Amino acid sequence: MSDTHAESVAFVRESVIPPAPPPAKEAGAIRWMRENLFATWFNAILTLVALYLIWVLLSGVVPWIVNGTWQGSSLAECREILQGNGGGCFAVLRERWPQLLFGFQYPDYLRWRPVLAFFLLFVAVPPALFVMFLPRWTLIVTAIYPFLAYWLIWGGTILTPLFAALGVVAGYLAFSFTERRGFVLGLAAGVVTALAVWWIGGLLAGEFSRFLRLEAVVSRAMGGFMLNLVLGIVCVSLSLPIGILLALGRQSSLPVVKGFCVVFIEFVRGVPLITLLFVANVVLAFFLPPDANFDLILRVIIMITLFASAYIAEVIRGGLAALPKGQYEAADSLGLDYAQAMRLIILPQALKISIPGIVNVAVGLFKDTTLVSVISMFDLVGMIRGPILASTAWAGIYWELWAAACLMFFVVCYGISQYSQWLERQLQTDHR
Amino acid sequence: MTTLSDPPHADGFRLSLLVRDKRYRSYTFQAIALIALFVFFGWLASNAIRNPVLQQAGIDFGFLADPAGYDINQQPIPYTSQSSHLRASFIGAINTLIVAFLACVTATVFGVFAGVLRLSNNWIVGKLMALYVEMFRNIPVLIWILIIFTISANVLPQPSAFRGDDPEASPILGVAALTNRGFYLPRPYFTNGIGAVPDDVPADGGAPVAQEVASIANWLIVLAVFAASFLAVRGVNAWATKRQNATGRRPSTFWTNLGLWFVPIILTLLILGLRWEVPELRGFNFQGGILARNSLIALWFALSIYTGAFIAENVRAGILAISRGQTEAAAALGLRPGRVMSLVVLPQALRIIIPPLISQYLNITKNTSLAIAVGYMDLTGTLGGITLNQTGRALECVLLLMAFYLVFSLVISAVMNAYNASVALKER
Amino acid sequence: MAMTDTDTATPQMEISDEVAIEIRNMNKWYGTFHVLRDIDLTVHRGERIVICGPSGSGKSTLIRCINALEEHQRGSIVVDGTPLSSDLKNIDKIRSEVGMCFQHFNLFPHLTILENCTLAPIWVRKIPKREAEKTAMYFLEKVKIPDQANKYPGQLSGGQQQRVAIARSLCMRPRIMLFDEPTSALDPEMIKEVLDTMIQLAEEGMTMLCVTHEMGFARQVANRVIFMDDGQIVEQNEPEAFFKSPRNERTRLFLSQILGH
Ligand SMILES: Nc1ncnc2c1ncn2[C@@H]1O[C@H](COP(=O)(O)OP(=O)(O)OP(=O)(O)O)[C@@H](O)[C@H]1O
Ligand SMILES: [Mg+2]
């Protein structure tokens, strides 16, 4: 083998050494355990502690699920069926499932509408989530969805959401026609057109309020997990554009604009969401026209949106700051004006970098929608704490309900954060 | 405008220049923005002026001096229902800070443990920590608070379960009882300190205020001794560094430091006559000791374990951010793993970890406002809760509430920015 | 690549009979992947060995095994009479004998250049700070950047950083230096300044093991060139012979790729 001699330096290998299997001291599984679980004595102790913990957890949870019952219409009946075998009383979930999902005021014969809206979500969201794989026109479905969902959940004539959508479309068209004559002009034209369409639409919808009408449901009737989802989705979508504007404002060189944005962002980020919900609950009404009726849900949406937009603004500011300075200079040297540079060059890149951060904010905000239960709205947490735990049939049951709540939130939040990680990897490979 | 040296248009000022010209443009925009702001706030103000409720009540902070008339179940400073709303709010603020402080400490401990363990090469521990992080990050903190509150109120035994010859439950080590009302813990007090109460007189004898002051003074002495120990240890370390610089050998400071930490404080406590008042079962309830109500326990524990999951991620990211090249280079220079950690990895990782850690502390502080869901009397529970409902002074109460959190956040952020600036790595 | 005139710069370097590194029948696996196969290599004191070979052939792994940054599974490595085993004392001893430079410098960004250079002498060699700083300045002068001593690594150019890395290793007064592609992350003019430093080091009689594709450097400085492929030493020879008449087919292919474009 060793034909290398230090004296005669020259050496040539004539035959190739084939790869050999590693020296196997033990069989695969035992070796793996030795390396990954019992490498040192400290590691071995850790392993044992971890195993003990897992055993404790499983020995509590497994019998609870396996022995659990879905029968019975009250805790007493449940206990009778279970005979103290340690099983869970999941009957409460079976019986109160609609309440957990929709709250206790949404008319039961109309529940098919939010259910339909929920399932349409799975058609509407993929085009936005997987832009890179689906044809761009599918985004239209996403764009239509909010208006459709509004109509399904709240009811009323279809003219309301229709004109709302028309206003947006008309505004956008007006903007893109006049934009060439200057961004500000375009913006003004767009806003004016949209407002005009909305105004006309409002009149028409009032006039023909029976046209293609679904039975209207008041906002107060919203509840359960549906309320969390509605608040989460609406507030995140609304806060995105506001957040972008705030981020740009904070970066701007105009002291008035910059100052306002800084004060707003720092103020909102400095106070807890609860205090903003208090504002929505008891203070905001002072500052709105006395005759207009903004119901609680709308006020809450306003405040949560403002809250979210401050956080999103900070994320986007991070994205803007992370862009190399060369990008700004390149945009300038191409002769683009501020609006064009931002829209065509800076923002697309900055938003791309910010996506993981935005998703984090979205997940956090979705979790924070449970706080509305503190101002006596009946979201999922509010339903459990209020009507269900206070009912005579189910007072004294808690593990099953909280486990259900945990599971529902976990599925949504974990799903979103996994998506964000996937997207992050996707974008990383894009860059190379 | 006259200061600008080269006007582009000799033919003078035209209105379109306000938008077209780079020099005027920014002023135009700012003027528009300012006007828009004024209009918006004017609109809000006019609504407020026209509001019938506000018209009647006006804005008046005088209610703060009125007697509060409600009870507070955790009183770090003396309080009766005759005390003013201001004092009630003050107690609420202290309670906020108490739970925030406790939660910050334990969240850091949880987070550092979980973050480091998740990086360990022990497969099962790594997976377990990943489970912990994912589970707690993805479920709202309010749900955690309520779950822990429900558990402690329903699963733990009643105080009466500790009664009898063959009780169903017994205190941990005979001194701490975990009941469904909260945790009864031993209370430390001094028999020899300033204003000491002799052993045989019950703790609530004597003038309450004087006793309060004396007790605070005693604890301040203990704190001062701690501070002195800390300074002494730093002095010893500085001396060791100096010796090392001079001779190359670093004298061992382990035992000296250990002694400096413990001997003075133990002596002080002995001299002051530290005793523990152990909670005792009298009738159906425990007497004496400290009662940490389960609202406090639930809030504290839930915030720690929830935020701990986020801190774990920060810690993990911070350590992972130090490239393997750094540890390898240090190892190749002959540094032992412990030194590699303390001289190369930690100084770099801490710069990365500390800023998000501080913002997690801020999150904890803001999340303590969820106390209102379990009836812990923090600032949100007193000022934003009962005081607001009793007086109906919504605007004033919410304003004060926001101001408190805002000032706190801004101060901490200012400190953090200063820190960041001071440790930033120098780059070209 | 710029090089000083070969005739005048040919170093007069002595190779003693003393063995610096002795590798016998060494094998290493990453999982089931056989990275290093039956490596045999004897390095005498004062030798300058250049290792080259295609990417993924295991050059870095070989170098890192010598410094115990990687564990080998079979065979033996003896450095300066100390066998490399799992005994921490031996590893410490070997690491303080052997200096190493990395492709990406791996300077400590939170310490100044001077602190980078004095860290190990102070904590490992237990040298008084003043003295360690004097040594550091001596070596920083040698690599021609004494005026940067109080700057941070982030403020230096790549070539300067690599020279600091060399100085940092030298401060430990190693008897053997390992280089893992020290110039491959650098621009051409920086490559020259780093290579000049290495040549100077070689002239002073340092035992060097250097992974590099700088063939000019190999011709000028090395007394032996080793070609690796597929985790094995395929050919080794004196530079003249190695470059003029490579005998193995794979060596020829590799040289034609790297030299002839
Ligand atoms: N930590 C590791 N785990 C598994 N495989 C590894 C690891 N490090 C290196 N390898 C593999 O071992 C082989 C040899 O790697 P090595 O870095 O030694 O190559 P190299 O000759 O230095 O290549 P290059 O010229 O690109 O630096 C490669 O195929 C590489 O993929
Ligand atoms: Mg390599």
Side-chain angles (χ1 to χ4, degrees):
Chain A
M1 175 119 315
S2 154
D3 37 7
T4 318
H5 302 293
E7 292 77 32
S8 63
V9 159
F11 159 78
V12 188
R13 184 173 296 287
E14 306 295 353
S15 59
V16 175
I17 304 173
K25 292 213 178 80
E26 301 105 0
I30 296 175
R31 179 201 165 95
W32 181 88
M33 278 180 35
R34 197 171 50 85
E35 275 175 10
N36 290 295
L37 300 179
F38 301 100
T40 61
W41 61 265
F42 177 69
N43 240 322
I45 292 177
L46 277 184
T47 305
L48 292 182
V49 171
L51 284 177
Y52 174 74
L53 265 179
I54 292 174
W55 186 79
V56 167
L57 280 179
L58 287 185
S59 67
V61 171
V62 170
W64 182 68
I65 293 178
V66 172
N67 296 337
T69 176
W70 292 82
Q71 305 304 320
S73 60
S74 73
L75 186 55
E77 280 178 37
C78 245
R79 293 228 165 105
E80 211 158 292
I81 296 172
L82 289 173
Q83 300 286 350
N85 65 2
C89 173
F90 300 109
V92 63
L93 299 182
R94 191 176 50 84
E95 209 210 48
R96 297 299 176 112
W97 188 238
Q99 287 197 349
L100 289 175
L101 285 187
F102 305 107
F104 64 119
Q105 284 168 319
Y106 204 91
D108 15 344
Y109 58 94
L110 295 181
R111 279 182 194 141
W112 64 271
R113 284 174 16 195
V115 170
L116 181 62
F118 180 70
F119 282 110
L120 284 179
L121 195 64
F122 290 98
V123 181
V125 166
L129 293 190
F130 305 103
V131 200
M132 53 284 266
F133 298 130
L134 295 172
R136 285 192 84 87
W137 62 263
T138 50
L139 278 174
I140 295 177
V141 182
T142 315
I144 293 176
Y145 179 76
F147 304 101
L148 188 62
Y150 169 84
W151 187 50
L152 283 174
I153 295 177
W154 271 271
T157 166
I158 199 173
L159 289 179
T160 316
L162 196 63
F163 275 102
L166 275 183
V168 174
V169 172
Y172 179 74
L173 287 181
F175 167 75
S176 50
F177 277 128
T178 43
E179 191 210 353
R180 255 169 293 132
R181 320 244 328 255
F183 182 77
V184 184
L185 195 67
L187 203 62
V191 170
V192 168
T193 316
L195 285 179
V197 173
W198 284 334
W199 183 66
I200 297 171
L203 291 184
L204 282 178
E207 200 63 31
F208 301 99
S209 63
R210 311 205 61 80
F211 179 74
L212 267 185
R213 184 173 182 278
L214 288 177
E215 184 176 332
V217 181
V218 290
S219 295
R220 246 177 301 115
M222 308 287 146
F225 200 52
M226 177 179 73
L227 180 59
N228 294 111
L229 281 174
V230 166
L231 285 179
I233 295 174
V234 170
C235 296
V236 169
S237 335
L238 291 180
S239 62
L240 254 179
I242 304 181
I244 294 175
L245 289 183
L246 282 171
L248 290 179
R250 194 170 180 166
Q251 295 261 303
S252 114
S253 54
L254 312 177
V256 172
V257 176
K258 182 176 178 155
F260 172 77
C261 291
V262 169
V263 168
F264 177 85
I265 291 174
E266 291 306 322
F267 171 78
V268 169
R269 279 161 34 94
V271 300
L273 178 56
I274 284 242
T275 58
L276 293 179
L277 291 178
F278 282 168
V279 170
N281 195 17
V282 293
V283 177
L284 197 58
F286 294 148
F287 296 100
L288 296 174
D291 38 346
N293 91 50
F294 282 83
D295 59 19
L296 182 58
I297 240 191
L298 195 56
R299 298 195 308 248
V300 164
I301 286 179
I302 294 177
M303 292 319 285
I304 298 187
T305 303
L306 292 183
F307 179 76
S309 54
Y311 284 84
I312 286 187
E314 279 304 274
V315 171
I316 294 175
R317 183 168 77 115
L320 289 172
L323 280 192
K325 226 169 121 202
Q327 292 292 324
Y328 291 87
E329 286 160 4
D332 273 350
S333 69
L334 285 175
L336 300 176
D337 65 24
Y338 177 81
Q340 288 169 325
M342 286 296 151
R343 219 155 50 88
L344 302 175
I345 300 196
I346 306 298
L347 272 182
Q349 300 184 60
L351 287 181
K352 211 174 184 181
I353 308 177
S354 319
I355 285 178
I358 293 177
V359 173
N360 268 347
V361 172
V363 169
L365 188 87
F366 178 60
K367 288 185 294 175
D368 279 347
T369 56
T370 52
L371 264 58
V372 298
S373 65
V374 172
I375 54 168
S376 57
M377 286 170 79
F378 293 99
D379 74 320
L380 181 59
V381 172
M383 282 307 297
I384 294 178
R385 275 172 35 121
I388 299 182
L389 283 183
S391 67
T392 45
W394 299 110
I397 200 164
Y398 34 90
W399 289 111
E400 292 77 4
L401 289 166
W402 288 127
C406 286
L407 194 66
M408 284 155 96
F409 274 100
F410 184 83
V411 167
V412 176
C413 297
Y414 187 71
I416 302 177
S417 58
Q418 287 307 99
Y419 165 75
S420 136
Q421 281 170 21
W422 172 84
L423 191 65
E424 215 173 324
R425 283 194 298 272
Q426 211 67 24
L427 294 178
Q428 264 169 10
T429 48
D430 268 11
H431 278 304
R432 286 200 200 113
Chain B
M1 292 297 91
T2 50
T3 53
L4 291 165
S5 53
D6 60 334
H9 299 282
D11 51 343
F13 183 82
R14 284 195 321 254
L15 210 55
S16 66
L17 277 187
L18 279 181
V19 179
R20 293 269 161 75
D21 192 292
K22 213 172 161 185
R23 293 169 304 167
Y24 306 131
R25 196 184 165 105
S26 79
Y27 290 93
T28 321
F29 280 146
Q30 297 200 60
I32 294 175
L34 212 55
I35 291 169
L37 272 183
F38 270 121
V39 169
F40 180 67
F41 282 107
W43 179 70
L44 291 183
S46 80
N47 286 335
I49 290 167
R50 283 185 298 143
N51 187 287
V53 181
L54 223 48
Q55 260 173 0
Q56 210 179 21
I59 294 178
D60 179 10
F61 288 91
F63 71 95
L64 284 174
D66 299 342
Y70 57 89
D71 222 2
I72 293 182
N73 56 21
Q74 177 179 308
Q75 303 171 356
I77 59 172
Y79 171 87
T80 65
S81 58
Q82 290 312 304
S83 309
S84 65
H85 282 295
L86 187 62
R87 195 170 177 87
S89 312
F90 190 58
I91 290 187
I94 296 179
N95 284 342
T96 294
L97 295 180
I98 288 177
V99 71
F101 175 77
L102 291 174
C104 285
V105 173
T106 39
T108 313
V109 174
F110 289 162
V112 170
F113 261 97
V116 171
L117 284 183
R118 197 173 171 187
L119 285 173
S120 88
N121 41 18
N122 186 320
W123 183 83
I124 203 164
V125 171
K127 285 282 176 272
L128 203 65
M129 289 305 135
L131 179 75
Y132 159 66
V133 168
E134 292 302 346
M135 196 162 120
F136 280 86
R137 279 201 314 173
N138 287 309
I139 294 174
V141 63
L142 181 60
I143 292 187
W144 287 121
I145 294 175
L146 291 170
I147 288 180
I148 295 174
F149 184 69
T150 324
I151 293 175
S152 60
N154 290 293
V155 178
L156 292 178
Q158 291 187 339
S160 59
F162 291 79
R163 257 168 22 118
D165 294 330
D166 184 21
E168 296 160 45
S170 57
I172 298 169
L173 301 176
V175 294
L178 314 188
T179 75
N180 66 352
R181 297 196 187 173
F183 295 0
Y184 289 90
L185 306 171
R187 184 179 71 93
Y189 66 101
F190 299 107
T191 51
N192 266 340
I194 303 167
V197 192
D199 235 349
D200 44 0
V201 178
D204 50 3
V209 175
Q211 215 187 333
E212 200 69 34
V213 172
S215 157
I216 289 175
N218 285 328
W219 284 112
L220 281 182
I221 293 176
V222 173
L223 209 63
V225 171
F226 247 121
S229 288
F230 174 72
L231 290 181
V233 165
R234 285 198 42 168
V236 168
N237 286 344
W239 168 80
T241 307
K242 220 163 138 195
R243 292 277 301 173
Q244 183 184 22
N245 288 346
T247 67
R249 305 228 156 247
R250 191 178 180 87
S252 160
T253 54
F254 180 78
W255 292 109
T256 333
N257 283 349
L258 205 67
L260 279 176
W261 273 122
F262 286 102
V263 172
I265 196 73
I266 290 174
L267 278 181
T268 317
L269 292 178
L270 281 180
I271 292 170
L272 287 176
L274 178 77
R275 296 281 184 284
W276 295 92
E277 186 188 67
V278 178
E280 274 171 40
L281 199 59
R282 301 223 183 99
F284 286 94
N285 213 339
F286 281 93
Q287 301 285 323
I290 301 177
L291 170 60
R293 282 172 195 280
N294 44 25
S295 54
L296 169 68
I297 299 289
L299 196 60
W300 175 13
F301 193 63
L303 285 178
S304 322
I305 203 156
Y306 174 79
T307 317
F310 288 87
I311 294 180
E313 280 303 88
N314 295 336
V315 168
R316 188 170 82 109
I319 295 177
L320 281 181
I322 310 306
S323 71
R324 241 179 78 190
Q326 290 288 311
T327 37
E328 282 178 354
L333 284 170
L335 290 166
R336 279 285 183 82
R339 294 268 180 239
V340 175
M341 202 58 181
S342 67
L343 296 174
V344 175
V345 176
L346 276 187
Q348 295 184 57
L350 280 184
R351 283 162 210 249
I352 303 174
I353 295 172
I354 285 183
L357 188 67
I358 304 276
S359 70
Q360 292 300 345
Y361 289 167
L362 284 178
N363 283 345
I364 287 184
T365 311
K366 284 184 272 173
N367 278 337
T368 55
S369 58
L370 295 178
I372 198 169
V374 288
Y376 177 77
M377 297 298 265
D378 74 331
L379 187 66
T380 313
T382 53
L383 180 66
I386 305 182
T387 294
L388 187 151
N389 284 335
Q390 278 188 3
T391 60
R393 296 257 164 213
L395 187 58
E396 295 88 338
C397 287
V398 173
L399 269 182
L400 287 176
L401 193 60
M402 286 179 154
F404 171 80
Y405 288 109
L406 193 60
V407 168
F408 190 82
S409 299
L410 289 182
V411 169
I412 302 278
S413 323
V415 172
M416 184 180 77
N417 287 342
Y419 168 84
N420 281 349
S422 74
V423 301
L425 286 181
K426 299 234 172 29
E427 301 279 349
R428 282 212 287 185
Chain C
M1 193 210 62
M3 249 316 167
T4 42
D5 188 8
T6 319
D7 293 323
T8 56
T10 302
Q12 302 300 311
M13 290 162 293
E14 307 206 338
I15 299 170
S16 74
D17 278 345
E18 199 186 331
V19 174
I21 303 175
E22 170 117 53
I23 301 177
R24 281 276 157 266
N25 206 1
M26 194 260 279
N27 281 271
K28 164 153 187 69
W29 284 264
Y30 280 123
T32 57
F33 177 53
H34 200 169
V35 213
L36 293 178
R37 306 176 195 170
D38 289 348
I39 302 289
D40 282 300
L41 179 63
T42 308
V43 182
H44 293 264
R45 188 156 301 294
E47 272 200 289
R48 289 109 18 223
I49 298 182
V50 162
I51 305 175
C52 59
S55 178
S57 53
K59 308 176 298 283
S60 302
T61 313
L62 172 60
I63 289 255
R64 292 156 57 83
C65 278
I66 297 174
N67 211 355
L69 288 177
E70 301 282 355
E71 220 179 327
H72 61 281
Q73 278 98 18
R74 198 187 283 161
S76 69
I77 301 177
V78 180
V79 181
D80 260 344
T82 314
L84 189 58
S85 58
S86 53
D87 187 350
L88 281 178
K89 224 181 229 150
N90 286 2
I91 293 183
D92 281 347
K93 180 140 187 289
I94 290 176
R95 281 182 177 166
S96 59
E97 300 277 298
V98 178
M100 174 143 183
C101 286
F102 299 84
Q103 180 176 8
H104 295 288
F105 333 135
N106 293 345
L107 294 180
F108 307 130
H110 62 300
L111 301 177
T112 61
I113 300 306
L114 193 61
E115 287 166 345
N116 261 285
C117 293
T118 55
L119 186 79
I122 289 178
W123 290 97
V124 181
R125 287 249 189 269
K126 319 261 186 230
I127 294 171
K129 191 175 177 189
R130 186 77 55 75
E131 216 170 290
E133 282 175 352
K134 225 186 289 168
T135 318
M137 285 315 290
Y138 170 76
F139 283 113
L140 285 176
E141 245 152 63
K142 239 173 153 184
V143 300
K144 307 200 175 64
I145 32 178
D147 42 335
Q148 313 281 6
N150 289 316
K151 287 194 180 167
Y152 284 85
Q155 297 169 302
L156 264 53
S157 76
Q160 290 173 324
Q161 289 194 38
Q162 190 61 291
R163 282 183 285 153
V164 171
I166 295 175
R168 180 175 72 175
S169 301
L170 292 178
C171 285
M172 287 294 283
R173 308 254 183 207
R175 307 182 65 184
I176 302 166
M177 283 291 289
L178 309 176
F179 293 87
D180 188 2
E181 310 205 27
T183 55
S184 61
L186 299 176
D187 295 339
E189 71 272 33
M190 298 181 187
I191 291 182
K192 178 172 164 18
E193 54 191 45
V194 171
L195 286 183
D196 284 349
T197 308
M198 289 168 63
I199 292 169
Q200 190 189 345
L201 206 58
E203 282 167 358
E204 287 166 10
M206 176 67 79
T207 312
M208 290 165 67
L209 218 64
C210 184
V211 176
T212 183
H213 291 150
E214 297 294 337
M215 291 308 153
F217 173 79
R219 276 211 177 92
Q220 185 189 355
V221 175
N223 66 312
R224 209 174 350 150
V225 181
I226 293 179
F227 174 70
M228 282 184 73
D229 194 7
D230 252 348
Q232 37 207 301
I233 295 180
V234 171
E235 179 160 357
Q236 59 172 308
N237 211 337
E238 279 154 358
E240 281 305 307
F242 180 86
F243 290 112
K244 218 172 267 163
S245 53
R247 285 187 277 172
N248 189 297
E249 186 54 38
R250 284 188 283 172
T251 321
R252 241 170 285 159
L253 192 66
F254 176 75
L255 284 179
S256 72
Q257 277 169 353
I258 204 163
L259 297 173
H261 46 85

